[in-house]
Amino acid sequence: MDASPPPEMPLGKLVKSLPERLAERVLEDVMTGRLKPGDRLKEEVLAQTHAVSRATVREALIALARQGYVVRIPRSGARIAEFSGQDLDDLFELRAALLSTAAGRYTRRAGPAQRADLESLVVDLEGLAAKPDTSSQDFATQSVRIQTFLTERCGNNHLPDMYKRLAGMGMWQLIRGQASSFLTQAGRAESAADWRRLADRVSANDAEGAERAARLLLEHSAVRVRQHFDEAVRVEQQP
C-alpha cells in the first residue's frame, strides 16, 4: 500500500510574524556593530524606526530575552546582553559536552552512507582550510554546517535546539571584538585537523574516540576565541 504523503506545513506558519522579524532585525544590528553589548533598547525608538507598534516591540524583546540575547531589567528597560571572558569559557564548556554527546551517538548509529556524508563535509572544510584567501566567514559557515549535521542526526531530539542556542549565543557577542576561531589561516588549519580527527574516529566506528575528538575540537576553538576576545578587551580599555 502506498504511503501517505507527509502533511504540508500550514501556509499561515510559513510567514514569520512581525515580532519575529523585528527580533531578527535587532540581531542583525548587533552582528553589524550598529548595536553593541550594553546598549539600551528603547521601545518607542524601535517602534518608530521600524514602523511597528510598541506591543510588537515588547514581544520581540521578550523573545530575545528568552534566548539570552537581551536583558530586561525592571524599571530600566531592555539592553543588549553583555558577556565576559568567563561567560565564553562556560558556553564553550557546555557546547563541548553537547557536541561530544552528539558525535558519540552519531558514530553508534551511522552506517557506511552516513559516515560517507560526514567525510564529504569534512573534505570540503579541508579544502577551504588549504586556500590562503578563504574568508573566516566562509570557513565558519562550513564548520557550523558540520556541527548542525552531527547534532541533528545524533538521535537526540532535544540536543539540536540546545546546541543551536548555545552556538548562537557564543557567536554574535564575539563580534564586539571580531573574536573568531578562524581569523587566521593557522586557526583554520587547526580546526580542519580537529575535524579530520573526529571524522576518522567516526569512520573507525570508535564512538568514545569521536567523543574525545569533538570535545578537543571545541576546546581548541575556545582557546583561539578567548585569545582574540582578551586582545579586543585590552584594545577597548586603552585610553
Side-chain angles (χ1 to χ4, degrees), residues 67-134:
Q67 298 173 61
Y69 299 126
V70 164
V71 176
R72 290 170 61 84
I73 303 172
R75 295 181 296 279
S76 297
R79 295 181 182 275
I80 300 296
E82 296 184 86
F83 291 83
S84 67
Q86 184 60 54
D87 290 321
L88 298 185
D89 295 342
D90 293 344
L91 286 169
F92 270 104
E93 182 179 27
L94 291 173
R95 286 180 61 193
L98 289 175
L99 189 63
S100 176
T101 297
R105 288 177 64 99
Y106 181 83
T107 303
R108 295 182 181 93
R109 293 164 54 89
Q114 289 73 35
R115 291 194 288 270
D117 288 341
L118 176 62
E119 176 67 20
S120 177
L121 289 170
V122 173
V123 167
D124 288 345
L125 188 78
E126 291 174 319
L128 290 173
K131 298 177 182 178
D133 59 346
T134 293

Side-chain angles (χ1 to χ4, degrees), residues 10-150:
L11 287 176
K13 293 188 177 181
L14 294 177
V15 180
K16 292 183 178 179
S17 67
L18 273 177
E20 288 175 320
R21 283 183 281 173
L22 177 57
E24 290 180 351
R25 187 67 59 83
V26 171
L27 285 182
E28 288 175 8
D29 287 344
V30 175
M31 292 283 191
T32 58
R34 290 191 291 269
L35 286 174
K36 302 181 183 301
D39 281 356
R40 185 180 177 189
L41 299 171
K42 297 182 179 180
E43 289 186 5
E44 62 273 20
V45 173
L46 287 172
Q48 293 173 5
T49 300
H50 299 285
V52 297
S53 69
R54 292 186 65 169
T56 294
V57 172
R58 281 192 290 271
E59 284 189 53
L61 294 181
I62 288 171
L64 289 170
R66 193 177 297 124
Q67 298 173 61
Y69 299 126
V70 164
V71 176
R72 290 170 61 84
I73 303 172
R75 295 181 296 279
S76 297
R79 295 181 182 275
I80 300 296
E82 296 184 86
F83 291 83
S84 67
Q86 184 60 54
D87 290 321
L88 298 185
D89 295 342
D90 293 344
L91 286 169
F92 270 104
E93 182 179 27
L94 291 173
R95 286 180 61 193
L98 289 175
L99 189 63
S100 176
T101 297
R105 288 177 64 99
Y106 181 83
T107 303
R108 295 182 181 93
R109 293 164 54 89
Q114 289 73 35
R115 291 194 288 270
D117 288 341
L118 176 62
E119 176 67 20
S120 177
L121 289 170
V122 173
V123 167
D124 288 345
L125 188 78
E126 291 174 319
L128 290 173
K131 298 177 182 178
D133 59 346
T134 293
S135 71
S136 59
Q137 183 58 52
D138 287 344
F139 190 90
T141 297
Q142 182 64 12
S143 176
V144 170
R145 185 175 292 123
I146 306 175
Q147 293 171 59
T148 301
F149 177 88
L150 284 175

Side-chain angles (χ1 to χ4, degrees), residues 28 134 154 176 194 203:
E28 288 175 8
T134 293
C154 72
R176 165 191 173 198
D194 286 337
S203 295

Side-chain angles (χ1 to χ4, degrees), residues 197-238:
R197 183 183 301 107
L198 194 158
D200 287 347
R201 291 302 88 212
V202 173
S203 295
N205 200 27
D206 177 5
E208 292 184 358
E211 290 172 355
R212 290 192 297 271
R215 188 177 293 276
L216 184 63
L217 185 153
L218 280 182
E219 287 175 354
H220 286 166
S221 182
V223 170
R224 295 192 300 270
V225 167
R226 184 60 187 269
Q227 288 173 343
H228 288 294
F229 179 85
D230 289 345
E231 177 60 27
V233 171
R234 282 194 293 270
V235 170
E236 288 181 358
Q237 292 176 345
Q238 289 178 356

